[in-house]
Amino acid sequence: MRISVSSDMDEPVARLLVEELRARGHEVLPHGALRPGADPRWAVCSQRAAREVADGTADQAVVCCWTGTGASIAANKIPGVRAALCTDAYTADGARRWNDANVLAIGLRLTSAPLLREILDAWFAGGPSQDAEDLANVAHVERLDRDPAAS
């Protein structure tokens, strides 16, 4: 799988994220502080990583900043992206299952190496639900990308 990864800081957790994804057999497309010479601002690098998901260059993305909040906000501005800030494995599982999230947002401040691995395990083990209500919710969110006034 091709995974776009961004971080606004060259932090140990961000470096571990890249190593862990590669060790799991994924191709990593780095952005921000993970790519020499790239713009490391969270709004910019998160947007670039998310855009690769939206345009099909990447299958998924992981966006990082100190809290993960800014990265998730920036990623969610890209139509077609459903970014989820996940602080634990249960949230990551639910984001994939119920929300069909295609971008994982991680906070660098509080995510330890073992927690990062748990989150990634849950994220990649999960898949979108086929429950009619879950599919309807995801479809509604997709309509909001086209028309924010949709109801």
Side-chain angles (χ1 to χ4, degrees):
M1 187 180 303
R2 294 181 70 155
I3 301 178
S4 187
V5 179
S6 70
S7 180
D8 64 340
M9 295 182 283
D10 184 12
E11 290 282 317
V13 172
R15 288 190 300 274
L16 175 62
L17 170 63
V18 170
E19 292 170 19
E20 190 68 29
L21 291 172
R22 287 183 175 144
R24 293 169 186 240
H26 301 294
E27 179 183 352
V28 174
L29 307 172
H31 295 279
L34 302 173
R35 183 174 166 188
D39 191 333
R41 292 176 295 164
W42 59 262
V44 174
C45 64
S46 298
Q47 172 256 328
R48 288 190 175 142
R51 191 169 304 286
E52 288 186 338
V53 173
D55 72 17
T57 304
D59 300 299
Q60 294 183 3
V62 183
V63 296
C64 305
C65 68
W66 192 238
T67 64
T69 305
S72 66
I73 290 169
N76 275 316
K77 294 296 182 181
I78 306 301
V81 167
R82 291 175 303 283
L85 175 55
C86 298
T87 57
D88 57 55
Y90 296 106
T91 305
D93 174 68
R96 290 288 298 130
R97 183 181 320 171
W98 300 309
N99 312 126
D100 192 13
N102 52 13
V103 175
L104 170 63
I106 298 280
L108 298 170
R109 179 175 174 263
L110 297 176
T111 306
S112 65
L115 180 57
L116 175 65
R117 289 183 185 102
E118 289 176 10
I119 291 169
L120 292 175
D121 287 345
W123 182 265
F124 290 115
S129 167
Q130 296 306 306
D131 178 80
E133 183 177 340
D134 297 332
L135 292 170
N137 278 315
V138 172
H140 183 81
V141 170
E142 289 174 348
R143 283 191 303 277
L144 292 173
D145 280 340
R146 294 186 299 277
D147 178 11
S151 58

